[in-house]
Amino acid sequence: MDIYQVNIIVAVCTIVVSYLFGSIPTGVIIGKIFYHKDIREFGSKNSGGTNAARVLGKKIGILVIILDMLKTVIPFYVLWAILTFSSLSRFMTWGNGYFAAPLYIWGSVLFCALGHCFSVFLKFKGGKAVACFMGANVLTSWIEFVLAGFTYLGVAKGTKYISLSSIIAGIVGSLTAWVIAIIAVSVPWNPHWLTFMFGFEQAPFLGIEFAIVDTFVSILLIVRHRANIKRLKEGTESKNPFAKVENK
């Protein structure tokens, strides 16, 4: 196969596998298998970790959030490993000199987030992309972990609004991504030290692809919180989103 055929196959596989992996409704699965409840029938009717905490308890909610973060991280690192260490890496440099691997690696994050929000297993409904955004940022770059992660915790502690902390963390994370990307393309070295390298000399490139995808996921996160934004403006947003609801 030539370089064009290989890239088409890689692109299609990236989109399909990432979307399906992101579509796995972990909160719904755990609720139905272990508690015989569909969390979408209670609380906010959402399938994400916050509503899982309301319906099934805080510990289960945290577990769902972690699993939803891994839904983004696992495809990301698997694709990175394949396109970095396998023979496919030689097909990643296009004729104009563009190295396409970061396009697919970071693109997987976007389609995981779309799968999470519009799951094919839930009739194209789903979560709000918070866990996906956290997974893509907190678990790939320590600088994002510090800035986006601690922004989330700080705003949540100060305001008690989980929705507001998610939105602000998304904005901070995407702005940070652009700063990192500009540095990465403006200097003759890849700032690998900003990523988790796991002992390897090569790490996911934090370039323009990273910033663009981060921005798209951040926008998706904000759009999915439009009802929360309305309640924040009206002063009716709950300050205790993890409070258990009646679910008998």
Side-chain angles (χ1 to χ4, degrees):
M1 292 190 291
D2 61 27
I3 189 172
Y4 302 105
Q5 292 172 322
V6 170
N7 276 269
I8 290 173
I9 293 172
V10 170
V12 172
C13 289
T14 296
I15 293 171
V16 174
V17 174
S18 299
Y19 172 78
L20 291 176
F21 207 86
S23 291
I24 299 173
T26 54
V28 175
I29 292 173
I30 291 175
K32 286 187 174 182
I33 292 178
F34 297 103
Y35 294 86
H36 308 292
K37 296 173 182 175
D38 188 339
I39 63 174
R40 296 171 297 167
E41 297 177 358
F42 310 101
S44 66
K45 316 296 183 182
N46 192 268
S47 64
T50 302
N51 198 45
R54 293 190 186 102
V55 181
L56 306 176
K58 188 176 294 186
K59 291 182 179 179
I60 299 301
I62 293 173
L63 174 62
V64 170
I65 291 172
I66 292 173
L67 291 175
D68 284 344
M69 290 171 68
L70 291 175
K71 287 194 311 187
T72 302
V73 175
I74 291 174
F76 174 90
Y77 278 115
V78 168
L79 190 58
W80 165 72
I82 292 173
L83 297 184
T84 301
F85 303 110
S86 76
S87 59
L88 285 177
S89 61
R90 62 190 178 92
F91 292 98
M92 292 298 102
T93 301
W94 293 354
N96 60 359
Y98 174 70
F99 185 58
L103 176 65
Y104 303 125
I105 295 169
W106 289 106
S108 71
V109 170
L110 175 60
F111 286 98
C112 280
L114 289 172
H116 177 74
C117 294
F118 309 103
S119 172
V120 67
F121 305 118
L122 301 179
K123 298 180 179 180
F124 300 101
K125 296 180 180 180
K128 296 183 178 180
V130 177
C132 294
F133 185 84
M134 290 169 61
N137 288 276
V138 174
L139 298 181
T140 57
S141 171
W142 67 265
I143 192 68
E144 288 274 12
F145 173 83
V146 171
L147 294 177
F150 280 90
T151 295
Y152 177 91
L153 294 175
V155 176
K157 182 177 180 179
T159 68
K160 310 301 181 184
Y161 290 124
I162 297 299
S163 57
L164 181 61
S165 61
S166 300
I167 292 169
I168 294 179
I171 294 172
V172 170
S174 57
L175 291 175
T176 303
W178 278 105
V179 172
I180 294 173
I182 291 171
I183 293 174
V185 300
S186 300
V187 296
W189 52 275
N190 181 2
H192 285 163
W193 56 275
L194 295 176
T195 67
F196 296 121
M197 297 182 63
F198 304 109
F200 295 103
E201 292 184 1
Q202 299 185 64
F205 182 63
L206 301 178
I208 296 299
E209 300 88 354
F210 160 60
I212 291 175
V213 166
D214 218 56
T215 302
F216 271 115
V217 177
S218 178
I219 292 171
L220 178 62
L221 183 157
I222 294 171
V223 171
R224 296 290 288 176
H225 279 83
R226 58 189 181 277
N228 302 86
I229 294 172
K230 180 180 179 182
R231 289 194 294 270
L232 284 168
K233 290 180 178 179
E234 296 171 347
T236 58
E237 178 75 340
S238 172
K239 284 193 175 184
N240 189 16
F242 293 107
K244 292 203 69 174
V245 298
E246 180 62 42
N247 52 51
K248 297 180 179 179

